[in-house]
Amino acid sequence: MLVSLTVVGATRQSFTKTLAVTDTDAATVVASAWVPAAPPGLPTAEISADPRRPGLVHVTLEGLWLGTPAARDEAFHYLGALVRALADAAHRAGGALHAPGVRLGGSSPPAAGDPHTLYVTDRAEQEVLVNLLRRHSPALIALCGRGAIGTLPDRVGSRWLADSREHLTTRYLASADPRHLDHVRADIRRRDGIADLTRMDIAPLAEGADRPAAVLVRCLDSQLSLTDLRAQALLLSALALYARRKVRSGNREGPIPQATLEKNRARAVTQGLRAQFLQESGRGAKPTDPVPARESVRRLLDELLLPLGRLEATAEELVPLLVPVEGPSTGLPPTRSQDLLAAAAGRGPHELAATADLLLHDSRPGGLLLESLRQEAPGRVELLLGSWTQRLARAELPRQSGSGGRRRQGSEDRGAKRPRGGADRGAGSGGSGKGQGGSGKSRDGGASGRAGQDRRGSSRRERTGQDRERSRPRQEGAGSGRQGEHGARGGSGDRGGTTARPDPQRGQGSGGAAAREGRTPRTGGSES
């Protein structure tokens, strides 16, 4: 009889794709665009011009469920159609539509970000998700950040965060209760002069009349292509699923020092994937060696293997995340979309504009980045894709094999009882324990079978009578505690599996030396 059923699946999420308009007015582009209708089952997108930053356009999709590749294909094909409609409107107005931070002219808008919203079911899940994203925020900034693209190279990790004055490092949340959030808000006001929690990189959002509680992620740069945005949304969905599973199993996310987090965040903003992150160390602990940012991202991806498998992620979808960190191990350069644009900028402004347009509208898994890598090194690309396809498939094995999966086989191996008196125990308590009881060896030199040998056939040492006479005073002076300890294990080296019994005459275990001297017949072979 089915009593209850708990399903831990993908959460709903929203994201905003930020676009830039050059040589025309953003409000005019939004008003003149021929917006396509949303497919059945998808919400209608909200398109608006940024009132505070001229030249920016926001396309928001609310309440998406991206739990399968088909669902992600449908959502990003719709987003691609919206971007194409806005690009046509900008072209009719005499301008160009591109990603923020790409300098196509003197009036190009500065860098911006793509905010994401992850919906949660309760306050406990909100607390765990905020703290989980807080712990990995430096790695996320290093992976998704980028510099400005133009004629001059920009090697900063995140141009948007480097120039922003509206971002704060996330504080640890001991609880998502409104009263505790008031304490966090007061602490931010006292330290930074800002009383708005949504200024943090990762911020909790209270439940509203028309939406559930959520977590806002606003520390990721605006991506150059829809392919990169798709990989970014998939990564955040896996983190949300990982947090939900932790809550269901009764686990929480521990705090890391605020000073360590702020230093790592600053390094990620300035250096990107070239940064070296500080490791968390307790009080009085010696400082440990820093960890490369690529290694931190690699550990994050390894930690999310199971959630990515639950989301049916493919290696092609993860190419923008895998190549920068896993590419060098397979002989590939750590290429990203911004590297393709930087190479195009070196060939002239027209080539830069054409490549930026191709990147922006490509919503295929892997997109133009995967196509370029396959032309450069097809064998190494397939090696990387094949390796991660196998890893994602192995992550799915526990679910496909039932409730136990591979873990059940491991538990059976760990739970199997070892035979008593094994070679390791015999060597520790009976073979090499001079002057101690419990050797459990036969003294019949001419006896056959197991005399002087364990089950594996390794020979046992034979002590001479002089050694036993020499060890007897130490045993008698050791006290009853030591004799009782080894007497309780007496005979552990004997493969017969006999159990030590107390000797009523001498008051000590049968495995003791005195008991053996009184009960075991001596032969000439064992004394010689």
Side-chain angles (χ1 to χ4, degrees), residues 11 23 42 59 110 158 194 201 296 302 324 326 336 354 398 415 474 520:
T11 182
D23 297 335
L42 286 182
V59 181
S158 172
I194 299 174
D201 294 339
S296 296
D302 291 341
E326 298 283 359
R336 296 192 285 178
R474 289 199 299 267
T520 306

Side-chain angles (χ1 to χ4, degrees), residues 272-289:
L273 289 174
R274 305 185 311 274
Q276 299 282 330
F277 291 155
L278 301 176
Q279 298 190 66
E280 178 186 359
S281 58
R283 290 185 178 180
K286 296 181 180 180
T288 56
D289 295 334

Side-chain angles (χ1 to χ4, degrees), residues 454-468:
D454 61 3
R455 189 177 59 178
R456 298 182 181 180
S458 61
S459 61
R460 293 290 187 89
R461 294 183 178 179
E462 294 289 343
R463 293 193 304 178
T464 63
Q466 183 179 0
D467 292 335
R468 284 195 299 273

